[in-house]
Amino acid sequence: MTDQHEIYAIRYAHHDRKAAENFIGGDPHDVLQPLDYYVWAIVGTSRALILDTGFDAAMGKKRGREMIKPVHEGLRALGIDPGAVETVIVSHMHYDHVGNYDLFPRARYHLQDLEMAYATGRCMCHAAMRVPFEVEDVIAMVRKVFTGRAVFNDGEDEIVPGVSVHHIGGHSKGLQCVRVNTRRGHVVLAADAAHLYAHLESGRVFPITYNVAEVVEGYETLRKLATSREHVVPGHDPLVLARYPAAKPGLEGWIVRLDAEAKG
Ligand SMILES: [Zn+2]
Ligand SMILES: [Zn+2]
């Protein structure tokens, strides 16, 4: 038995926006810097773990995001039956990471204590802090708590051998990243601990933020957890699709393999 895993990034949605919208303090370049939306499949010898569950077409419409392919289609393209998935890891509870909440009827959901406390506590009294959350998503997670389908992590935890979660905070109070042992070393799925490569490279911060200091400290943590800088995968960067090879012929621009060496 090996604890090495394959990792797939599955793009499901897209949002065209100006570069200035991606950074506190804006950006001097008047160019588009779009976001892509992903879920990730972490595949071991006997099972697949899913990191984040995305949003559905109705939520995409409500939020003005372009749905490319529903999440379940991406999973099926990899031969993953959502109904058989037993483990979902939730990076944080923003609408684009924790929707589709009926897609995995057998799964237990791993999340940080702090994220559930944050999403159900006093900060949600403030409209400014509620913006990236959807109450139905939060209620769905509360229901999972009451049916024994939530598993709480506090800081650092091993999910299965070779896959661990690590609290980062910053962008959301209980945000966690995921470290995966692969054939090319330890790959770190940052999720929203780094939206774009540009955030990591320039030390700048995405505007939706609970705590700026934790965001920039988080960049260091991501790098420490990863085998190299090239092993950190940001959560919303279209460049991920360009840098990594397609999972299979025909899946170009949709699903890429992150345990393969990046191109160039
Ligand atoms: Zn987020
Ligand atoms: Zn996000």
Side-chain angles (χ1 to χ4, degrees), residues 51-62:
L51 169 60
D52 290 345
T53 57
F55 55 72
D56 63 13
M59 184 57 63
K61 197 169 179 194
K62 177 180 174 185

Side-chain angles (χ1 to χ4, degrees), residues 208-257:
I208 292 174
T209 297
Y210 171 79
N211 181 309
V212 170
E214 287 181 4
V215 173
V216 290
E217 281 290 308
Y219 298 157
E220 296 301 317
T221 303
L222 296 172
R223 289 187 184 117
K224 277 185 199 153
L225 290 170
T227 293
S228 81
R229 286 175 178 238
E230 282 68 46
H231 288 69
V232 178
V233 182
H236 283 281
D237 201 322
L239 286 173
V240 169
L241 289 170
R243 289 188 183 182
Y244 289 94
K248 284 190 262 185
L251 301 184
E252 291 82 5
W254 182 17
I255 305 174
V256 291
R257 189 156 176 184

Side-chain angles (χ1 to χ4, degrees), residues 96-219:
D96 54 323
H97 297 261
V98 78
N100 291 307
Y101 35 77
D102 296 324
L103 187 57
F104 303 99
R106 290 185 58 201
R108 299 175 84 208
Y109 286 60
H110 292 251
L111 72 166
Q112 289 279 325
D113 286 313
L114 272 179
E115 187 66 359
M116 185 57 114
Y118 179 51
T120 55
R122 67 162 64 215
C123 285
M124 295 304 111
C125 298
H126 304 293
M129 308 309 285
R130 283 199 297 272
V131 169
F133 292 92
E134 287 285 338
V135 66
E136 294 304 328
D137 291 343
V138 176
I139 289 168
M141 193 64 76
V142 171
R143 291 190 191 285
K144 289 185 175 73
V145 174
F146 277 75
T147 51
R149 293 179 55 213
V151 183
F152 286 99
N153 309 126
D154 180 13
E156 188 175 311
D157 232 327
E158 182 181 79
I159 306 300
V160 297
V163 179
S164 54
V165 294
H166 304 262
H167 175 248
I168 298 285
H171 165 73
S172 191
K173 192 170 185 178
L175 172 67
Q176 58 185 355
C177 71
V178 181
R179 182 192 205 219
V180 184
N181 190 25
T182 75
R183 57 184 173 162
R184 72 171 174 121
H186 284 106
V187 171
V188 173
L189 301 172
D192 290 5
H195 284 64
L196 302 169
Y197 285 107
H199 290 108
L200 285 166
E201 287 159 7
S202 68
R204 289 181 294 165
V205 176
F206 193 76
I208 292 174
T209 297
Y210 171 79
N211 181 309
V212 170
E214 287 181 4
V215 173
V216 290
E217 281 290 308
Y219 298 157

